[in-house]
């Protein structure tokens, strides 16, 4: 919005500052995810290590610092697709088997199945590392399906699994959505009404989303998801979260600028495949943050608390200042966590940001805390004379975000 | 973005909440009042958002801190916390969607459960510009407001009809309560004049006087 005023060099330096902030924060975090230092702008951490093992070595060395059992961002899609309840124990069991290549080779001797698993896990890990820095647009649909564990990593099985999943989605729509209101409970009628109020005002600044067929697709995806996830049901903001998937999976069929797309150019069966992919990917994404959308949204409240604590630890004066101003983190950061910054940054940059989100996998919620801390501290640097008030935070949200994230699109464009 | 001054001097600071069903136009009422902006492309409000604007009442500067809350039921667990300290409320429904008017009763109950009994409440029928789609009559709403002892106005954020009036009236009434309270040492909560109805389009000239703070 306002970034046109800024010279590209100041954009670059601001971006580099932000990146350094994030990476600096990540190094100190107590709940480690996968940490990547692959950008050219990095100060070299350990040049010897880089030479020896250009890809894995770095992340291993970073991971060694970790202690939490929540760290595994690179677990195979099979593990990721198990229910949330089991995922922690699965993670701890799996972790030792691939956190070190020597151990891996011992496993190989034990069983030939172990080899395949090891290779898959290493590939998944490598994929996450690469995706973290940005995925080229033409590969994005395939990569996102893999990162979310929706498409199986084994390419022989992929077609079959996707076909089955897409049929399953169609069945769900027929069973839950394509029925008269008389067969719905009062709550379901209310939920559908809420969704139909929100679909027309989803990303309204992008004209593509004003097409009626797009809004209908969105409505089917959201309602079907809501019915099948009764613990949370539909919560405002989830509509925003479906849009990156819709755009990415449509990009496999529609070319050129999104402003020139017309969904009616596509045959009905393609649309339903795309919808199904959106549905499943949205489900996978939200599986990792179930309590963000249940009653009183405890997951988000917890993250807002973590954000507040992290800001206090890093920048005590800014934290004190905000307290004196009566500036509550919940007032501005709630939406950041609820909509994953979709509301704050220009829509055409969202998919690039999500490459990194999805590469973080299960560590995403904690990763968000670090991103937003950096976001906030960058606002503090930009706003002169320390005038962080709710006004500056909320009004500058958008323009500052544009400045921070615009250069993130660069690595992909340069390839 | 509107360039209102955030830290100007004021004599009174009043917290006002905007509540009502999803999609009735709460956020547009707020942006019309604080920045003189209206957007057909507005997004749903997540959690709570807020804006301020100062107006003059008598010779005093009254600063309104207006909290705009998400309409979805799910958010009430969070938004109801923000009712605390509110001295005024605009309870908004959409004159073209009857169900939003039916829900007013629930909103009113929630409001009264969470706020001081002195709170000034105005029932607001928004989207009055959509005359051909009207589903709630002015008479029904007026009768309801009288029964519930709230103020009442119909507005159009799009046409900027009565938006100034609605907010100004609420703020003025709060000011009257507060200044009377300051005079009377014996604090009488029943002293608030309620049940007055302000007719649509009555005081259009008032709009020209204000609007100082929208850039």
């Amino acid at each position: 919005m306002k970034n046109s005023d800024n010279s590209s060099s100041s954009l670059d330096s601001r971006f580099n500052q932000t990146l350094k902030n994030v990476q600096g924060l990540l190094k100190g975090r107590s709940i480690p995810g996968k940490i990547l230092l692959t950008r050219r702008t990095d100060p070299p951490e350990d040049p010897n290590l880089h030479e020896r093992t250009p890809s894995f070595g770095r992340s291993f060395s970073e991971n060694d610092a970790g202690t939490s059992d929540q760290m595994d961002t690179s677990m195979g899609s099979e593990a990721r697709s198990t229910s949330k309840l089991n995922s922690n124990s699965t993670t701890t069991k799996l972790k030792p088997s691939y956190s070190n290549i020597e151990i891996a080779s011992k496993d190989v001797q034990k069983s030939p199945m172990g080899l395949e698993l090891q290779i898959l896990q290493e590939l998944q890990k490598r994929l996450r590392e690469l995706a973290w820095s940005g995925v080229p647009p033409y590969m994005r649909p395939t990569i996102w399906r893999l990162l979310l564990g929706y498409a199986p990593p084994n390419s022989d099985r992929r077609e079959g699994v996707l076909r089955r999943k897409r049929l399953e989605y169609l069945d769900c729509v027929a069973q839950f959505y394509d029925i008269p209101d008389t067969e719905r409970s009062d709550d379901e009628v209310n939920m559908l009404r809420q969704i139909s109020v929100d679909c027309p005002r989803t990303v309204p600044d992008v004209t593509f989303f004003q097409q009626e067929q797009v809004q209908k697709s969105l409505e089917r995806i959201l309602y079907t998801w809501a019915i099948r996830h009764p613990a949370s049901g539909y919560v405002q903001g989830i509509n925003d979260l479906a849009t990156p998937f819709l755009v990415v999976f449509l990009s496999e069929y529609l070319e050129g600028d999104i402003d020139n797309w017309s969904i009616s150019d596509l045959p009905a069966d393609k649309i339903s495949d795309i919808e199904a992919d959106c549905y499943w990917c949205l489900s996978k994404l939200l599986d990792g943050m179930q309590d963000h959308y249940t009653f009183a949204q405890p997951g988000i409240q917890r993250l807002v608390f973590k954000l507040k604590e992290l800001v206090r630890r890093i920048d005590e004066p800014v934290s004190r200042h905000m307290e004196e101003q009566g500036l509550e983190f919940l007032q501005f950061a709630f939406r950041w966590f609820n909509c994953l910054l979709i509301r704050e940054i220009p829509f055409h940059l969202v998919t690039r940001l999500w490459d990194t989100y999805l590469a973080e996998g299960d560590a995403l919620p904690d990763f968000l805390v670090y991103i937003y801390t950096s976001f906030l501290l960058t606002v503090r640097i930009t706003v002169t004379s320390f005038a962080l008030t709710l006004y500056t935070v909320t009004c500058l949200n958008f323009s500052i975000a544009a400045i921070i994230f615009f250069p993130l699109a660069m690595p992909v464009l340069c390839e | 973005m509107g360039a209102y001054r955030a830290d100007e001097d004021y004599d009174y600071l009043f917290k006002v909440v905007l509540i009502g069903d999803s999609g009735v136009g709460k956020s547009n009422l707020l942006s019309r009042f604080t920045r003189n902006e209206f957007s057909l492309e507005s997004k749903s409000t997540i959690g709570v958002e807020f804006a301020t604007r100062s107006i003059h009442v008598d010779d005093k500067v009254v600063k309104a801190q207006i909290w705009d809350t998400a309409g979805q039921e799910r958010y009430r667990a969070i938004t109801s916390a923000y009712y605390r300290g509110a001295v005024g409320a605009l309870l908004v429904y959409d004159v073209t969607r009857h169900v939003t008017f039916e829900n007013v009763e629930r909103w009113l109950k929630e409001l009264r459960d969470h706020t001081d009994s002195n709170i000034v409440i105005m029932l607001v029928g928004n989207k009055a510009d959509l005359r051909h789609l009207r589903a709630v009559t002015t008479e029904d709403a007026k009768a309801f407001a009288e029964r519930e002892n709230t103020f009442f106005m119909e507005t159009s954020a799009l046409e900027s009809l009565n938006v100034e009036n609605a907010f100004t009236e609420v703020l003025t009434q709060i000011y009257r309560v507060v200044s009377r309270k300051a005079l009377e040492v014996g604090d009488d909560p029943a002293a608030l004049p309620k049940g007055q109805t302000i007719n649509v389009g009555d005081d259009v000239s008032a709009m020209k006087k204000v609007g100082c703070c929208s850039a």
Side-chain angles (χ1 to χ4, degrees):
Chain A
M1 211 182 222
K2 289 175 184 168
N3 57 0
S4 55
D5 303 336
N6 297 278
S7 71
S8 59
S9 66
S10 90
L11 274 180
D12 278 357
S13 67
R14 234 177 240 150
F15 172 63
N16 289 338
Q17 187 54 49
T18 306
L19 199 64
K20 276 180 198 150
N21 289 347
V22 173
Q23 290 176 338
L25 296 173
L26 285 171
K27 273 183 229 162
R29 71 174 163 175
S30 57
I31 303 165
K34 174 186 48 45
I35 291 134
L36 293 168
L37 300 166
T38 52
R39 287 186 188 278
R40 273 164 301 215
T41 49
D42 288 347
E45 293 295 316
D46 180 349
N48 298 328
L49 189 59
H50 284 217
E51 278 163 35
R52 281 202 312 271
T53 47
S55 56
F56 299 115
R58 275 170 294 175
S59 55
F60 282 154
S61 69
E62 293 290 342
N63 276 348
D64 287 344
T67 50
S68 162
D69 60 2
Q70 230 185 307
M71 69 172 286
D72 185 19
T73 58
S74 54
M75 71 170 104
S77 65
E78 301 298 330
R80 283 175 55 73
S81 61
T82 55
S83 81
K84 191 68 187 163
L85 280 174
N86 301 333
S87 70
N88 274 350
S89 56
T90 318
T91 308
T92 9
K93 266 183 267 161
L94 283 175
K95 194 171 75 176
S97 70
Y98 63 85
S99 62
N100 181 305
I101 286 171
E102 280 171 42
I103 294 177
S105 59
K106 280 179 210 155
D107 282 356
V108 171
Q109 290 165 1
K110 274 187 231 151
S111 97
M113 285 301 288
L115 176 63
E116 197 184 330
L117 192 64
Q118 287 303 318
I119 292 173
L120 274 182
Q121 283 166 351
E122 288 304 336
L123 286 175
Q124 288 271 318
K125 184 176 198 148
R126 186 82 185 98
L127 180 66
R128 286 184 188 281
E129 290 178 357
L130 289 169
W132 201 90
S133 312
V135 180
Y138 75 96
M139 293 173 73
R140 197 167 268 141
T142 310
I143 303 294
W144 280 22
R145 286 189 199 102
L146 286 169
L147 288 174
L148 284 159
Y150 166 45
N154 184 331
S155 59
D156 296 342
R157 289 176 51 222
R158 202 169 298 155
E159 267 309 299
V161 168
L162 293 187
R163 200 178 317 121
R164 189 165 49 77
K165 287 286 194 183
R166 286 165 180 167
L167 283 175
E168 194 183 328
Y169 171 73
L170 275 185
D171 283 348
C172 288
V173 171
Q175 190 184 341
F176 301 122
Y177 181 83
D178 293 329
I179 56 170
D181 274 0
T182 48
E183 288 178 31
R184 297 184 216 275
S185 70
D186 286 352
D187 282 350
E188 288 167 358
V189 170
N190 277 335
M191 196 153 67
L192 185 56
R193 188 188 298 132
Q194 181 69 63
I195 291 169
S196 65
V197 166
D198 285 349
C199 284
R201 44 184 191 159
T202 302
V203 201
D205 36 334
V206 175
T207 52
F208 174 73
F209 285 100
Q210 294 304 304
Q211 294 176 30
E212 209 184 324
Q213 259 186 294
V214 178
Q215 293 176 2
K216 273 290 159 201
S217 283
L218 200 56
E219 190 173 302
R220 276 191 293 270
I221 294 166
L222 294 171
Y223 184 73
T224 309
W225 184 86
I227 289 288
R228 295 195 46 171
H229 296 80
S232 62
Y234 172 73
V235 177
Q236 290 186 306
I238 294 180
N239 55 327
D240 293 79
L241 302 186
T243 57
F245 297 122
L246 208 49
V247 169
V248 164
F249 296 131
L250 277 163
S251 74
E252 285 184 292
Y253 302 98
L254 298 172
E255 290 181 350
D257 196 273
I258 187 173
D259 291 333
N260 303 321
W261 285 4
S262 166
I263 196 170
S264 50
D265 292 349
L266 294 174
D269 61 321
K270 284 278 171 284
I271 295 179
S272 88
D273 282 359
I274 291 164
E275 260 184 59
D277 288 6
C278 291
Y279 169 81
W280 288 112
C281 286
L282 179 69
S283 301
K284 292 282 186 188
L285 176 76
L286 293 176
D287 281 352
M289 29 188 166
Q290 292 192 18
D291 63 351
H292 289 208
Y293 301 100
T294 49
F295 183 77
Q297 305 186 252
I300 292 186
Q301 305 223 33
R302 197 175 56 235
L303 291 181
V304 170
F305 180 77
K306 281 187 181 177
L307 174 67
K308 185 178 173 181
E309 283 303 294
L310 190 59
V311 170
R312 191 178 55 77
R313 268 159 50 196
I314 293 170
D315 196 336
E316 210 277 327
V318 89
S319 171
R320 193 167 1 101
H321 176 77
M322 287 165 80
E323 224 157 79
E324 284 162 6
Q325 294 282 315
L327 178 55
E328 294 265 356
F329 276 70
L330 208 54
Q331 288 162 12
F332 58 86
F334 189 89
R335 193 173 83 184
W336 298 354
F337 286 110
N338 197 87
C339 303
L340 304 183
L341 286 192
I342 288 184
R343 298 283 184 101
E344 278 71 35
I345 70 175
F347 190 70
H348 68 281
L349 300 179
V350 166
T351 49
R352 167 60 194 89
L353 177 63
W354 280 44
D355 291 339
T356 308
Y357 282 178
L358 301 186
E360 281 285 329
D362 287 354
L364 176 60
D366 286 309
F367 178 70
L368 293 174
V369 174
Y370 290 86
I371 283 263
Y372 300 168
T373 302
S374 173
F375 189 52
L376 197 65
L377 297 180
T378 308
V379 173
R380 173 247 216 269
I381 292 162
T382 311
V383 177
T384 50
S385 78
F386 208 51
L388 257 188
T389 64
L390 186 58
Y391 171 68
T392 56
V393 174
T394 50
C395 293
L396 290 176
N397 256 350
F398 184 80
S399 48
I400 296 296
I403 292 165
I404 294 173
F405 288 105
F406 176 71
L408 275 180
M410 288 301 128
V412 166
L413 295 177
C414 295
E415 278 178 29
Chain B
M1 299 288 174
Y4 63 77
R5 288 159 300 160
D7 294 312
E8 63 208 283
D9 287 336
Y10 54 83
D11 300 297
Y12 293 96
L13 176 66
F14 295 150
K15 177 172 172 178
V16 174
V17 290
L18 270 166
I19 56 171
D21 274 12
S22 215
V24 298
K26 296 181 292 295
S27 301
N28 268 319
L29 284 169
L30 179 61
S31 67
R32 177 62 83 189
F33 179 65
T34 56
R35 302 193 299 272
N36 198 21
E37 285 174 5
F38 176 87
S39 171
L40 278 171
E41 299 176 343
S42 62
K43 302 171 186 177
S44 60
T45 305
I46 303 297
V48 180
E49 291 170 19
F50 106 153
T52 61
R53 194 185 128 181
S54 296
I55 64 165
H56 291 269
V57 180
D58 296 344
D59 53 350
K60 298 281 193 267
V61 177
V62 169
K63 181 173 175 177
Q65 190 186 68
I66 305 155
W67 295 84
D68 179 20
T69 61
Q72 192 187 7
E73 175 127 11
R74 166 55 49 84
Y75 281 106
R76 289 189 206 171
I78 294 153
T79 55
S80 57
Y82 287 97
Y83 293 170
R84 199 166 30 126
V87 287
L90 279 81
L91 201 178
V92 189
Y93 68 93
D94 174 352
V95 299
T96 71
R97 284 194 295 146
H98 201 269
V99 66
T100 65
F101 180 64
E102 290 158 30
N103 285 336
V104 161
E105 212 163 326
R106 282 163 64 199
W107 283 109
L108 203 55
K109 182 178 182 314
E110 183 177 281
L111 191 61
R112 290 189 164 142
D113 286 349
H114 286 91
T115 55
D116 187 270
S117 60
N118 272 324
I119 188 169
V120 175
I121 302 172
M122 177 175 283
L123 180 67
V124 174
N126 192 35
K127 307 197 187 179
D129 54 286
L130 299 172
R131 290 159 192 93
H132 56 298
L133 294 173
R134 181 182 278 275
V136 182
T137 65
T138 309
E139 290 68 34
D140 281 357
K142 202 184 282 182
F144 180 88
E146 272 166 21
R147 211 163 50 239
E148 293 291 339
N149 276 328
T150 72
F151 296 95
F152 169 65
M153 233 183 240
E154 286 187 348
T155 60
S156 162
L158 184 144
E159 290 183 352
S160 202
L161 172 74
N162 263 344
V163 178
E164 290 281 338
N165 289 346
F167 281 100
T168 309
E169 183 62 28
V170 167
L171 293 169
T172 308
Q173 292 299 340
I174 299 168
Y175 170 77
R176 302 261 176 267
V177 174
V178 171
S179 47
R180 182 167 48 244
K181 263 189 169 177
L183 289 175
E184 298 169 7
V185 185
D187 183 352
D188 177 16
L192 176 60
K194 282 183 178 169
Q196 297 176 17
T197 302
I198 296 112
N199 293 324
V200 184
D202 256 7
D203 193 15
V204 190
S205 64
M207 287 192 291
K208 290 169 193 150
K209 287 188 280 190
V210 211
C212 57
C213 300
S214 40

